[in-house]
Structure formats: C-alpha cells, structure tokens
Amino acid sequence: MAPTPGGALRSILCRHLLLSLLVLCFFCDACKKVVLKVPSHLQADTLVGRVNLEECFKSADLIISSDPDFRILEDGSVYTTKDIKFSSEKRIFSILLSDSQKLEEKNIEISLLAPEKKMPVKRHSKDKGLKRTKRRWAPIPCSIMENSLGPFPQQIQQIQSDSAQNYTIYYSISGPGVDKEPFNLFYIDINSGDIFCTRAVDRETYDSFQIIGYATTPDGYSTDLPLPLMIKVEDDNDNAPVFENMVTFTVIENCRVGTAVGKVVATDRDEPDTLHTRLKYTILKQNPEHPKIFSVHPDTGVITIISPPDREACSSYDLKMEVRDMAGQSFGLSDTTTVTVHIQDENDNAPSFKKTSYVTEVEENRINVEILRMDIEDKDLPNTPHSRAKYIILRGNENGQFQITTDPMTNSGILCVVKPLDFEASRQVILQVGVVNEAEFSKGANNRGVSTCTTVVTVNVKNVDEGPECQPPVTVIESQDGMPAGKEILGYKARDPETFNSEDLTYRMLQDEDHWFEMDRKTGNLKTTKILDRESRFVKNNQYNVTVLAVDKIGRSCTGTLVVRLEDINDHSPVIKDNVTICRHGDEGAVIEAMDRDGPTNGPPFDFKLDNLSNKLWILRKKSDTTAIIQPREGLKSDFYSVPIRINDRHGNGEVSHLGVRLCDCTLPSECKMKPFGQVRDVSPPNIHLGRWAILSMVLGSAMLLCSLFVCFCVTTQKTVQKCFPEDIAQQNLIVSNTEAPGEEVTEANIRLPTQTTNICEPIISIGTLGGQGTKTGGQQSFEMVKGGYTLESTKSGGHQTLESYKGSGQGLGDNGRYAYTDWHSFTQPRLGEESIRGHTLIKN
C-alpha cells in the first residue's frame, strides 16, 4: 500500500525537523554524560533507567530522544519503544532539552552498556556430573534504600557460581519484584550475575523481597541448587506521625494532682522500633493559658492534672498537642491536634440566702396561701442537683402550720400556710429556714466542709373576726347496742373562739344515714328515734357517724363529726346461709354454713344439733367453727326435705333453723336432675286462722259423725255371726284384754298367734281383739303378734325384726315368760313414730 500525499509531506517535515535538531546539538550546551547498564535484551515498554533532567535544564518544555527506540518522560524515565537486542556492548543516544521561550537548548548523552558475551564452553558427554568444589554462590543479604533517587537501574547485588570457571553459566532470578507483583522491579545480568533495581520502592508497601537465583548451562543444566536471596528495603523517614482522632476528655473539678485525664494516641507508618517511629508528645499551648492545669507524658501521651481545676473559674480547656518522631528531635516529622477537656461540676459551692432575715404577715385561719418567696445564690452548674435548692424549716414549725417548697423555674423558696393560724393563741411566729442542695455536698480538695445556710422569717398573724370552731373535728361517744327509742345522749359541742363558749350557737344535722336521731338545735344533744342496731348496714366497725353543723348568729359555721360507738350485745342467733344438695352416690354429705350478725365476741364457734326425730334420719357432725357436714341415713329415699337444726353461738344463744335438703340420685350436685329449690311447690300447710263460727261448725260435724258411727256399730253387733275355728284349735289361745296396752298380764302364751292357719269356713271380722291378725289395707306393712314378740313385716324391704331380736335372746322375758311394759313400749314407739315423722317431713312435688 502506497502512502498518501499528506502523510508523505508530514514525514518529510519531521525528518527535516529532526535533522535540524541534530545540527543544533553541535551548537548547544552539553550536560554530563549518563551511563546506564542494561541487559542484552530489552522488551518493549521496559524501564531502562531514570535521568535527572532538572539537574541539567530546569526550564525545558520540550524533551526529545535522538534514538526513536527510546522515549523520555518528564520525570526523566527512559523506556524502550520496542524489543531491543544489543549487538554490540555499547549504544549511545542523546536527550535534547529545549526552552522555546528563551531559545535555549541542552543535550544529555546516554550510554547504554550491555554485558560482554562469553563464548559457550561445551560440556563433554563424558562429564556426567559437575564437581561442586569451592564456589562463591551464597552472597550476604543485601538491601535497598526506600525512595532512592537513583540513577536507575541501580546495581544492588551480584551472584556467581564456581562452575563458571569451567563452563558457560547463565544466571536468572524469579519471585516478587521479578515475575510477581511488583513486576520488573529487579533483573539480573544473564552473564555477570549482577542484580539491578529499576525504580524506587516504598517500604510501607513492600518491606522486603524474597527472590530465587538460578545458575544454568546453555543447554539448561542446573549446576547449583536454587539460591534464596533476601532483599530488604531500608526504611526512610518519609511518614509523619498522625493523631488517630480528635478527642474530648472530661475530668471532675477539684480532682487530685496526678489524676489521669485521658490518653492521646498517634501512629507512624515507618518501621517500628526505630527512630523513625519513636514518638514524643508535647502540649504546645493551653487555652486559657493560666493557671497551668495539664501536662502530658512525652512517651505514653497520658494527660494528667498538675493543678486542681475549678469549673466555676473555667468550664473547659483546649490543648494544642504535638507529636514528633525521631525521639522529638527538631528534624523529625510531626503532627498537631487540639484536645478539649471539659471540667465536670461537683457540688462544691453551698447555696446562700440573699437576705439574712425576712418579715411577712398573714391573716389568721387562712390556709394554702403563699406568704413569702426567698431567693438564693449558688455558683454550681444551674439546673442540676448541685444547684437546685431544697428548703427546710429548722425551727418554729412544731405544729406543722407552714410548708416551704422550691419553685422549679426560679429555684426560689415558697413559704405557705397549710394549717390555720390563731391570733388568739399566737400573734407572731418566728421561723428558722435553711437551704441545701439536692445533691450531697462534696468535700473537695479546697473544701473543709460547710454548714447549712440559714435565715430568719418573722410571720405576723393578723386578727380576723372568725366564726365558730369545731374542735376537735371528731367526737366519739359510747352507746349500747339495742338502745330503745326516746333515749337522749350527749351531742357534738362547738365553741366561739372569741368568747371561748358555745352560747349563741345553733346545731343541725347534715348527715344521719339511717335516721337514728333527732337533734336539739340549742344544745346539740341527740335523742334516739329508733332502736340502735349494731348490725345495721350503716354501721362500720361498730361506729355510726353523724355530721353536725354549728352556726353562729351571722351565719358563719363549722362542721364536726359525732361518732356513736356501739357496744355489741348477743341479740342475734346463728342461722343457716343456704340450702344444700346431697348426692346418694357421693362420698360425703353436704357442708352447711352458719352465720351470726353479732360481733366476734358473740359469734363462733357454733354448736350444731338435731332433734330426736331428725337424728333418726340424718347424721350431723361438726367440721369447723362455722360449718358442719350433714349426711342421710340408709333407707331415706330421694326427695326434698326440711331438716330442723338448732345452732347455738359460743354463749349458748341460738334457735332452730330449717335446712332445705335436696336428696338426689346423682354423683355430683351439678348432675342432679331434680328441680331446684326455687321451683319446688311448697306443700307445708298454710297458716289458717279459724273464727268462732267455723270452730262451732267443726264440733257439730264431728258430733254427728260419731253418732252415725255408733248406730252402725250397734246394728252390726246384732247380726248372727258364724264362728270358724282353725284346725289346730288346741294350739290357739285367744284372750280378751281390756287394757289399752299390753301390761304385766300379757304373757308369751297370751300373744302367740299361729303363723299358718286353715280356715274351715268364712273368716270373721274381729274388732277390739289384741291378739288377732291385723293387716293394713294399703299393702305397706302387716302386724302380727307371735311368740317372741311384736313383728313388723315390710313388703317392700323384706326385713323381719322381732321383739326377741330387739331385746336379745330371751333377755326381755321374766321368770314366767312375760314381757315388761317398758320393753313393749321401747320397741313399738319408735316404729310407730317413724311413720309419723316421715309423713310430716316428706315434701312431695
């Protein structure tokens, strides 16, 4: 491809310019020559070295290389523009420096020296191994200076192998700074073993380099083991110390000398444990300067107190701090910062009154009124417990008539009257008032303790024409419980403070909740209008309150309370609280609870009792002072019952209470399916009051009924009756007894009747015979007189009990086989009474 006309023109112009510059080089001033050692092969964009251009020409604005294979940067760095292999040992080119304004030019001659080429020495095939004799293969550790100015490349070390005496040896290196980060920092002359550094190094980035050296023959045979080589970067004091952060400290005022305030810390990136990092701290300036309060330890940076600070003199200080390396020498690097120290307040200043005495006045009987304000001074920090005032009345307020508080806004003391003053009792009151702080006073270094500041307040009492006084506000009188109506008791008495008597005062009741009394308006005495009852719901803790108003002639009044304390008497009997439900299948009976409206001295423990009839049907046992447990006896069917129980208090006072019992076929009372007590129909006979005519009618009706029965009896006895006898007539003994009950003449033979008979003819009806069979038409029970006593048979239960079993085997018989009347009565009477009791106590739905 042929070049364009424009491009050819530009090429021609560049060539002419270059030739003119080369010509000018002969006429410009020349600087000193620079020699750079380079390897025999350089890759493109490789740093060859650095030239100090400012040393030759400072004002140059044009830098041109005479060799196009190299380019020059403004800092003097020389880089290759392509791969270069040196055919000869030396190559020379120039750097032209020009100032277009001053029309000045200078040039620098650069000589590049390549290593000499060695003729390779062939290794014979019979030489299978190399003799490792004396060799200089282990050099001493080397170092390079941080931030070195060159010139570069700079030789830093040389490695050699003794094998080079007999063979051609090529040297090479690898590791950090060569083929690892940072790349191309080091290179080695392949023939001489010289190691070069191509540029400056920052120790804070790389403090050392561990590289590996190799020695090989041209055919790649390693004559020696790889050689580790340590290159250390020597530190340069190129980093100034730096304070970590701007800090603020706090210290309490009046603290002791030597108290640590805080510690400042600075860091230095230079090599530790060297002069470059040996820091010294100083305080350059304290603001305010006087008095000197602080000092700093030069090595640790700890700030301490050298004089106790006073917050009231200065509340904070600014310290300008400096830290310098090189052990604080003047040529060391340094840094400064400002440290603020706040002085914390403590209660080292006692409050004081602005006046030593105060005078004020107040009208008598005024309460909850402000009469005086007192101001104080306190140098401590405002609105803190160290300065907030707390006022105390030290003397003169024994009756508690005054109260002093603190105004939270102004910190002033406010004196108030909380109980009325009496001019007639005292016309002037003198108070001693003290003031302290909320916080406890601090005994600092400059304080030896302080006493409470006090002031005197004189209070003058102004006389006022006042109304009646109700003193004391509560009067207690004793009265008897149950006091009847019409009895007079002492009432509440007020007085006129001016005359000290109760004349010209009238009274009326403001409160009498149960209307127990009426009041005499002139004397204030009370008269009962009903019986006083301690158990009334208006009586609390045996006390009944009456509020009384006393009024003078012009309408001024006062209010008092009359407390009537009632002494309890035993005027109430214990009663049962609630009805109960008993389950047949439950383990226990029901718990009944009694209550007594009297006081504890006339109340529990209670005594629970059943009467004789109820005791045959129920079991009652005491559980606690106020409760008992009731259980039914066996054979009692499920129904509703009313059980009479007598309950006596601890003094034996009591009455009979009727307990409603629901005996149910259940396991738990909640499972009972019988109607509740509230839904049971009351089957008890009503209270009927009969008049005279009703009673007369009943008597006449009864007489007519008796006459009818007598006529029927007479007619019946006149009929012919066919007598029939049982087959075993010989064994029957029938006697006629005109006694109303079996007596002594009733013997075993007299009351024996056959248990089985065979009737020959129709049965006869016997009336009035004691030994005949008696059968109850209802089918419930049958009675028969047999040998061994009276027999009660129940067709339902099937039980059979005889008089003999009742008395024991023959124990009820006398010598002649007769039963005593007492035995007969004891056996029959409970059984006949059982039916009567059951009929009276059974409540049917």
Side-chain angles (χ1 to χ4, degrees), residues 475-581:
T475 301
V476 181
I477 61 173
E478 302 290 340
S479 181
Q480 187 74 27
D481 183 18
M483 178 182 288
K487 295 291 183 177
E488 185 174 351
I489 61 176
L490 186 65
Y492 187 87
K493 299 297 181 182
R495 71 184 182 94
D496 189 340
E498 305 294 336
T499 60
F500 298 98
N501 57 45
S502 301
E503 296 180 358
D504 301 328
L505 297 181
T506 58
Y507 301 90
R508 62 185 178 92
M509 289 189 298
L510 294 180
Q511 184 179 17
D512 179 14
E513 292 182 322
D514 203 16
H515 307 289
W516 281 9
F517 305 102
E518 60 183 14
M519 175 174 283
D520 189 327
R521 293 180 58 85
K522 293 184 178 181
T523 63
N525 293 335
L526 303 177
K527 181 183 290 186
T528 59
T529 58
K530 58 172 64 175
I531 299 176
L532 305 187
D533 185 9
R534 192 196 67 86
E535 287 73 27
S536 171
R537 64 186 179 90
F538 299 101
V539 177
K540 302 293 187 296
N541 298 325
N542 300 333
Q543 296 179 353
Y544 182 81
N545 296 335
V546 178
T547 304
V548 179
L549 180 69
V551 185
D552 62 7
K553 291 182 179 180
I554 61 177
R556 292 173 298 188
S557 63
C558 69
T559 303
T561 301
L562 182 66
V563 177
V564 181
R565 183 178 296 162
L566 298 175
E567 181 183 356
D568 184 36
I569 60 174
N570 196 4
D571 56 344
H572 292 85
S573 299
V575 294
I576 296 175
K577 282 188 174 181
D578 299 311
N579 298 325
V580 297
T581 299

Side-chain angles (χ1 to χ4, degrees), residues 681-814:
R681 178 176 56 87
D682 188 3
V683 298
S684 61
N687 296 328
I688 302 175
H689 301 280
L690 301 178
R692 292 177 296 175
W693 296 106
I695 296 174
L696 181 59
S697 301
M698 292 176 63
V699 171
L700 293 177
S702 300
M704 293 177 64
L705 180 61
L706 291 174
C707 291
S708 301
L709 293 174
F710 180 75
V711 172
C712 293
F713 178 77
C714 293
V715 173
T716 305
T717 54
Q718 293 179 0
K719 292 182 178 181
T720 303
V721 179
Q722 182 180 1
K723 297 182 179 179
C724 299
F725 300 94
E727 294 179 355
D728 54 346
I729 299 177
Q731 298 180 2
Q732 304 297 320
N733 294 315
L734 180 64
I735 64 172
V736 178
S737 175
N738 291 327
T739 59
E740 294 179 356
E744 296 296 330
E745 66 270 26
V746 179
T747 63
E748 179 183 3
N750 292 342
I751 62 175
R752 176 181 177 86
L753 292 177
T755 58
Q756 295 179 357
T757 60
T758 305
N759 295 334
I760 300 176
C761 59
E762 294 294 330
I764 62 175
I765 301 175
S766 297
I767 301 177
T769 60
L770 178 65
Q773 293 182 352
T775 303
K776 188 175 181 181
T777 58
Q780 296 289 333
Q781 294 175 335
S782 63
F783 302 86
E784 62 178 355
M785 302 300 295
V786 297
K787 182 179 180 179
Y790 172 82
T791 302
L792 172 63
E793 291 184 346
S794 175
T795 58
K796 291 184 177 181
S797 62
H800 187 83
Q801 187 176 7
T802 65
L803 184 59
E804 284 183 350
S805 64
Y806 176 76
K807 292 294 295 179
S809 303
Q811 293 179 4
L813 295 173

Side-chain angles (χ1 to χ4, degrees), residues 29 58 76 144 174 182 263 361 414 586 653 658 767 769 778 780:
D29 298 332
K58 291 185 177 181
I144 59 176
S174 66
K263 181 179 181 181
E361 63 180 9
I414 304 174
N653 181 33
H658 288 271
I767 301 177
T769 60
Q780 296 289 333

